[in-house]
Amino acid sequence: MRSIFACLVTLVTAAGCAHPDNPGPELTITPSDPSGTVAITGPTNFSAVISNTTAEETVTWTVSGGGTISSTTGLHTVFQPALGLMPAAATLTAATADGLTATVSISSGPAVITSDTIPNLLAPVTVLTDAQDIPHIRCATKIDCLAVQGYIHARDRFFMMDFLRHVARANLAELIGVDGVSQDVQIRTLFVTRSGQRIEDALSANSDPAIKALLDAYTGGVNAYLAYLRAHPSDMPGEYKQLPFPITAADIGQWSDEDTFAMARLQQFQLSETLSEETGFATFAQAFGPTTARFRAWIRSAAPAGEQAHTLSATAHTGVVARSAGAPATNLAALGDGLAKLDAKLVALRDRLRPYDASVGSNNWVISSAMSATHQAMVANDPHLSLQYPPLFHLAVMTSALAADHLDLAGGAFPGIPGALVGRGQHVGWGVTVVGYDVTDVYQEVLSACAPAGCVSYNGVPEPLIVVPQTFLVRTAAGLVNANTIQGVSVPAAVLIAPHHGPIIQLISPGVALSVRWTGQEGNTQDLRGILGLNTATDVDSAIASLKDFATGAQNFVLADDQGHIAYDPHALVPVRNFADPLQTAGNPQAPWFPLKGYDGSAEWGPTGTDCASAGATAVPATCWIADNLLPQGKDPAKGYFMTANADPTANGVTDGNSPLSPANQPYLSFDWDDSTGFRATRIQERIEAAIATNGSVSEADMESIQSDHVSRPGKFFATYIAGLPTASDTANLTAAKAILATWSADGWDCPSGLTGSDPNNSGIDTSGTVVDDSAGCFLFHAFLRDLFTNVFTDDLKVVGQGVNQLQAMKAMMYMLTPDGAGDQDFCGTANGAGAVTPKTCASQVVTALAQAYAQVAGSYGSVSSQWKWGKVHTMQPVPLLALITTNYEPGPYARPGGAFTVDVGTPSTASAGLKFPFGSSGNVRHISVMNPTTPVTKMQLPGPEKDGPVLFGGPDLLGQWVLNKYFDFAIGTQVDAVTVSTQTFTAH
């Protein structure tokens, strides 16, 4: 009787009930638990076992109640729990065609990770990790939160931290060998104060004591992990194994506060210096002269006509375009070929620090509660940097139990720097993009002989150069050795400093040199205090107050709080340059975007031109910097939003007239900002205004749609121009090309990938809507644009040893094709050598490039444009942080939509050959927050894993989501309780 009852109730059943002495076929699942539900903590392999039969059976798998399975057929499947904790048990079922079935109930819960210790913690700290591998740090006080953040940064990304501190502290050669020497020499030269102190040492010594205590805690957390690593050398990050010479855990030095300050300053340098721009402008002017058509076309501050949306404009703004941007005051001829040599070195440094054509492209905007569909203020941001593997940002949540801390922070930080640069706090959300203030000047110095290393003339008086001795070490197979002992390596014995300006960066001749002054060389700024204050701000007003400490690497901070207010604040140290003000220089100002006169005191910072240049000073008066009320800023505008995209933010568009020296009531701020094309700013404004016009408000879905927008505004300009060209002499190729662009224009200049997936080689064709035509139009446009820029500019720029800068080429070409630039078309002629030029119009160059591009694409993909799939050639592939690291650290490539200067940035490199259009930089996070005070909503994307490791190591596929523009819900505060996959506790002992 018992066996018959068991036959009726068992979860393992057959088509009929076999005799107990002769059991029939049975199907079971392992693992299983006869007493109830199988509890798991992550992906788990389940197997089907068929017994009492020799027949081959096909097993099919189904799941209900949550979670996914890796395969629906076969003897094995991997069950992946739903994100976080499943609210109820899932049911996994296996079945065969003959009617055998088996089921198992599955529940998932967080795994408990072994506790760890961090010396000096004040109380235990709990870390909950969610399904994206994001740590949620819960602490009693914020100092403990930062200590644990330091530990986790080191655990997840230490090779990145170690590499970047070696770069920032100019001892990269100690990590990678002789290939790092030239970069070390340049960083050692640039990263000193005017008194000769290393910047990171000065910043650490002058740090606010309260902030220093927080940073000490962060450093302690990093070093706690390094202690673990030394005790467990098998856990060394895999990148170390690919370095030229063995690096062991014992070789890794302790982390220091100075490491963090150096990394922060390096990042600020990358985002603010204009050294290579100024030497490039000067080299160009030296070759072509400041009164030529080429000069007027190439050295421009104004955005193209029609692309002049500005952050602080009350309405859509259209400026005027003037003819000249101002000429250099310095005698460039006296600099000889030393100027070009310096330019080449600086370009090489820029390319090493911002590799793979890391062109501009950050976007952010905030919507007021009055214009928000949810009646809550909203913020969106996608800061644009090189796409690297692992990504540059690391996401975390930190929550302090101490109410006075105001710490409930969710966002992204650069590992090695505490807090968050992008994200939201307890009450304020924010976004960042680079402003592009001009905070760098190059000075021509006059040298003379004197002890010990020479003198520099200042106001006609010789003053001794400051001498800072240097030693450069290089890692070799024998260990660290002095660079001077390596054959073929030459390093300077000292950095020389012109005390009123800064380090000497190029010796032109025995009597002439160039020095540089950059606001980042000030050693007493409190930038970290500004960021940590922003992280804990209670409203936009307190956020703005905190940002007064953010001095270098200026960011367009857009702010939204949970009271419904929005604000815009791009505070930074911007020099007062009265020498650039026509009203104070008898109408003969010096242009700061060229080398300045350093020898006669005529181009000094500050209101009098002398009070900010005291020799060797570590601090300068506040009057040296433009007052806050003269910098762009705003709160709660009537239009209901602020948007930035690296363009001119001012209300009156100070660069629109192409002469940015002191417009009415405005000091000189910048020559051309960080992206003066204005394409993205104008498109974002257009999309926001369209949403308001259609629905009366902007929704969270609108924010996502704008962030993924890939309409080409430069495509609109050129396609419209081409449509207006005469057709009488068109060839068959031109007729076909114009027809493709006409169709593209009718559809709105969109740039989809044209593929159904992200694999550029194996994805199907997307035939929905107008995708086929738009993909072809975008493909043809970019092929045309590259050919046009190459044909028009390469021959001229070769004269000065420069490549085609895409931002300058775009502005120059659009200028020359408009009536204002009709007389300045010399670039469009073709150089024939020995100074000879064949005159050509820019219109004829457009026609030539279009025919050339059509022939190229048709020759490779056929004349049927429906086969021209943009995503097959427009690809992104994150690169390792260090070019030496290649094995298993290069995911992709991935097909992507977008293109040159689209909002969803995918600007192809101009250096790529053939019909390949890869891009190497884009949004390093995509962040959207709705600032609801009771139920906050945050969406996030990250282009890679939280934890460093080889590609496809089995963690969450955040990169795959990013490629497809898919957001995940970023849990805030107690929201993580429902989605925790593991927990860990940190204690002091």
Side-chain angles (χ1 to χ4, degrees):
M1 187 68 179
R2 182 178 301 171
S3 63
I4 297 175
F5 180 74
C7 177
L8 293 175
V9 301
T10 183
L11 289 177
V12 181
T13 66
C17 188
H19 190 279
D21 294 331
N22 186 22
E26 292 183 335
L27 175 63
T28 57
I29 299 175
T30 60
S32 60
D33 188 341
S35 64
T37 301
V38 175
I40 64 175
T41 60
T44 303
N45 182 61
F46 285 88
S47 300
V49 179
I50 303 174
S51 56
N52 302 328
T53 181
T54 59
E56 292 187 4
E57 296 279 2
T58 299
V59 176
T60 60
W61 299 87
T62 57
V63 65
S64 61
T68 60
I69 52 179
S70 63
S71 176
T72 58
T73 61
L75 294 178
H76 304 274
T77 192
V78 175
F79 176 80
Q80 171 69 59
L83 296 182
L85 293 176
M86 293 189 298
T91 300
L92 180 66
T93 302
T96 69
D98 289 340
L100 299 174
T101 62
T103 61
V104 62
S105 294
I106 306 170
S107 67
S108 70
V112 178
I113 300 174
T114 304
S115 298
D116 215 331
T117 60
I118 299 176
N120 302 318
L121 283 183
L122 301 179
V125 176
T126 300
V127 177
L128 312 178
T129 302
D130 66 23
Q132 285 79 33
D133 277 339
I134 298 170
H136 297 246
I137 305 168
R138 291 179 173 175
C139 56
T141 61
K142 63 184 178 183
I143 195 168
D144 282 351
C145 269
L146 292 181
V148 174
Q149 186 187 31
Y151 184 99
I152 291 174
H153 275 176
R155 182 198 68 190
D156 290 355
R157 303 283 189 84
F158 186 72
F159 180 79
M160 172 185 287
M161 294 168 62
D162 196 23
F163 173 77
L164 290 177
R165 70 165 165 174
H166 277 85
V167 172
R169 303 200 70 175
N171 51 27
L172 180 60
E174 297 180 24
L175 184 68
I176 71 169
V178 71
D179 287 346
V181 170
S182 63
Q183 181 171 304
D184 285 345
V185 170
Q186 288 178 287
I187 297 294
R188 292 271 185 101
T189 302
L190 292 168
F191 281 58
V192 292
T193 68
R194 284 176 294 121
S195 62
Q197 190 177 15
R198 290 290 303 167
I199 293 176
E200 64 267 26
D201 294 339
L203 292 172
S204 182
N206 294 318
S207 181
D208 178 325
I211 299 303
K212 190 71 161 55
L214 295 175
L215 183 54
D216 287 346
Y218 177 88
T219 295
V222 174
N223 286 325
Y225 180 74
L226 292 183
Y228 166 87
L229 198 60
R230 295 186 188 102
H232 302 83
S234 62
D235 289 342
M236 282 278 287
E239 291 96 330
Y240 284 103
K241 298 176 182 178
Q242 298 187 40
L243 295 178
F245 306 105
I247 299 285
T248 68
D251 294 319
I252 298 175
Q254 288 287 89
W255 195 263
S256 68
D257 292 356
E258 287 76 15
D259 291 331
T260 292
F261 282 117
M263 284 182 59
R265 215 41 144 210
L266 174 68
Q267 191 65 36
Q268 292 169 323
F269 176 79
Q270 293 171 273
L271 299 177
S272 70
E273 63 83 22
T274 55
L275 269 173
S276 59
E277 181 180 67
E278 295 187 15
T279 57
F281 286 166
T283 304
F284 188 92
Q286 188 183 51
F288 292 109
T291 61
T292 63
R294 287 183 180 84
F295 183 93
R296 290 191 292 271
W298 191 247
I299 301 179
R300 302 191 59 74
S301 66
E307 305 297 332
Q308 294 168 336
H310 305 309
T311 305
L312 292 174
S313 296
T315 59
H317 180 81
T318 302
V320 297
V321 180
R323 303 272 290 188
S324 177
T330 304
N331 179 11
L332 297 178
L335 301 180
D337 65 355
L339 182 60
K341 291 178 180 177
L342 174 60
D343 182 48
K345 288 194 300 185
L346 293 173
V347 168
L349 176 63
R350 180 200 64 199
D351 290 345
R352 286 194 298 271
L353 296 180
R354 298 181 65 186
Y356 302 96
D357 196 26
S359 49
V360 291
S362 302
N363 309 297
N364 64 12
W365 60 94
V366 282
I367 308 295
S368 71
S369 58
M371 288 298 178
S372 168
T374 64
H375 305 295
Q376 307 291 341
M378 299 187 293
V379 58
N381 188 205
D382 52 308
H384 186 274
L385 296 163
S386 297
L387 290 167
Q388 295 178 330
Y389 185 89
L392 291 174
F393 279 97
H394 183 276
L395 304 179
V397 178
M398 291 187 284
T399 305
S400 170
L402 183 64
D405 282 344
H406 300 292
L407 181 66
D408 194 0
L409 175 66
F414 297 120
I417 303 173
L421 182 62
V422 174
R424 62 178 295 162
Q426 188 175 51
H427 299 287
V428 178
W430 66 92
V432 294
T433 69
V434 174
V435 182
Y437 291 133
D438 185 350
V439 294
T440 310
D441 279 328
V442 176
Y443 288 92
Q444 180 180 342
E445 307 287 1
V446 173
L447 306 180
S448 59
C450 72
C455 283
V456 59
S457 178
Y458 184 71
N459 276 331
V461 177
E463 295 188 353
L465 291 164
I466 296 173
V467 180
V468 185
Q470 301 293 320
T471 300
F472 294 89
L473 299 180
V474 180
R475 185 166 295 277
T476 68
L480 294 177
V481 302
N482 193 303
N484 289 317
T485 65
I486 300 176
Q487 185 175 2
V489 174
S490 176
V491 294
V495 171
L496 302 178
I497 299 173
H500 297 90
H501 300 138
I504 300 294
I505 55 175
Q506 182 71 29
L507 181 65
I508 303 296
S509 68
V512 179
L514 292 173
S515 69
V516 63
R517 186 170 188 184
W518 167 53
T519 57
Q521 291 161 336
E522 302 300 318
N524 64 332
T525 63
Q526 303 293 330
D527 306 78
L528 185 57
R529 183 171 66 191
I531 289 296
L532 294 178
L534 169 66
N535 291 172
T536 56
T538 56
D539 52 31
V540 297
D541 293 326
S542 61
I544 290 171
S546 294
L547 289 172
K548 301 310 177 193
D549 283 323
F550 196 81
T552 309
Q555 298 290 301
N556 288 300
F557 284 96
V558 293
L559 308 160
D561 65 27
D562 57 6
Q563 294 106 71
H565 299 290
I566 62 173
Y568 167 63
D569 183 40
H571 176 80
L573 297 183
V574 184
V576 171
R577 294 181 174 97
N578 285 340
F579 62 84
D581 185 346
L583 299 179
Q584 302 193 47
T585 57
N588 187 30
Q590 294 195 53
W593 50 93
F594 293 108
L596 301 167
K597 299 176 182 178
Y599 44 85
D600 64 3
S602 64
E604 302 303 320
W605 294 359
T608 68
T610 57
D611 52 343
C612 303
S614 53
T618 57
V620 297
T623 53
C624 297
W625 316 119
I626 294 174
D628 282 347
N629 66 336
L630 296 178
L631 294 174
Q633 57 188 288
K635 180 183 176 184
D636 293 335
K639 63 184 179 183
Y641 64 89
F642 290 117
M643 53 69 194
T644 83
N646 311 115
D648 185 340
T650 59
N652 56 340
V654 297
T655 54
D656 287 354
N658 203 43
S659 183
L661 295 182
S662 296
N665 303 315
Q666 181 74 63
Y668 169 70
L669 297 173
S670 179
F671 175 71
D672 61 357
W673 307 96
D674 199 54
D675 177 7
S676 54
T677 65
F679 294 122
R680 290 175 295 106
T682 301
R683 179 60 179 168
I684 293 168
Q685 176 180 267
E686 183 177 66
R687 287 293 310 274
I688 292 173
E689 290 285 354
I692 294 171
T694 302
N695 302 311
S697 62
V698 180
S699 68
E700 190 272 324
D702 290 328
M703 304 281 274
E704 292 187 22
S705 176
I706 296 171
Q707 207 162 62
S708 62
D709 186 275
H710 34 72
V711 166
S712 173
R713 287 194 66 86
K716 175 183 178 181
F717 172 86
F718 284 101
T720 302
Y721 178 86
I722 289 167
L725 291 174
T727 60
S729 58
D730 283 0
T731 62
N733 279 0
L734 279 173
T735 299
K738 287 182 176 180
I740 292 169
L741 293 182
T743 300
W744 186 47
S745 295
D747 293 341
W749 307 284
D750 196 21
C751 276
S753 73
L755 303 175
T756 56
S758 59
D759 186 329
N761 300 313
N762 298 306
S763 296
I765 296 174
D766 186 350
T767 59
S768 61
T770 61
V771 168
V772 169
D773 290 337
D774 294 345
S775 176
C778 185
F779 192 165
L780 177 62
F781 166 67
H782 283 86
F784 152 78
L785 194 67
R786 178 184 292 172
D787 288 343
L788 179 65
F789 287 175
T790 300
N791 296 347
V792 170
F793 298 109
T794 300
D795 54 343
D796 299 274
L797 294 173
K798 186 178 180 179
V799 173
V800 291
Q802 295 178 359
V804 177
N805 179 294
Q806 191 162 192
L807 188 151
Q808 287 176 254
M810 183 71 76
K811 292 196 298 182
M813 199 70 230
M814 291 178 68
Y815 166 71
M816 292 187 294
L817 291 176
T818 55
D820 195 71
D824 291 337
Q825 296 194 6
D826 287 5
F827 262 125
C828 290
T830 301
N832 299 317
V837 175
T838 301
K840 292 182 181 178
T841 66
C842 289
S844 70
Q845 289 280 25
V846 168
V847 170
T848 298
L850 184 57
Q852 182 179 339
Y854 180 88
Q856 288 173 327
V857 181
S860 295
Y861 292 93
S863 59
V864 179
S865 62
S866 61
Q867 299 302 311
W868 299 3
K869 301 308 165 197
W870 178 229
K872 286 185 175 293
V873 296
H874 184 242
T875 58
M876 60 77 65
Q877 183 171 22
V879 297
L881 191 67
L882 177 63
L884 296 169
I885 310 301
T886 56
T887 305
N888 296 327
Y889 287 85
E890 292 184 297
Y894 301 94
R896 285 286 292 146
F901 300 99
T902 53
V903 175
D904 186 1
V905 180
T907 303
S909 170
T910 56
S912 300
L915 290 177
K916 298 293 183 182
F917 298 88
F919 65 96
S921 54
S922 190
N924 270 231
V925 292
R926 298 190 183 110
H927 163 228
I928 297 171
S929 279
V930 180
M931 300 306 298
N932 189 316
T934 56
T935 54
V937 173
T938 294
K939 305 285 187 177
M940 191 73 79
Q941 296 179 30
L942 186 71
E946 279 277 89
K947 297 179 178 179
D948 187 10
V951 175
L952 302 179
F953 68 97
D957 187 15
L958 298 184
L959 176 57
Q961 295 178 43
W962 181 95
V963 168
L964 297 174
N965 253 321
K966 291 184 177 180
Y967 297 83
F968 61 82
D969 293 319
F970 196 169
I972 308 296
T974 58
Q975 294 172 355
V976 71
D977 293 339
V979 294
T980 299
V981 297
S982 69
T983 64
Q984 185 176 18
T985 301
F986 289 87
T987 62
H989 304 288

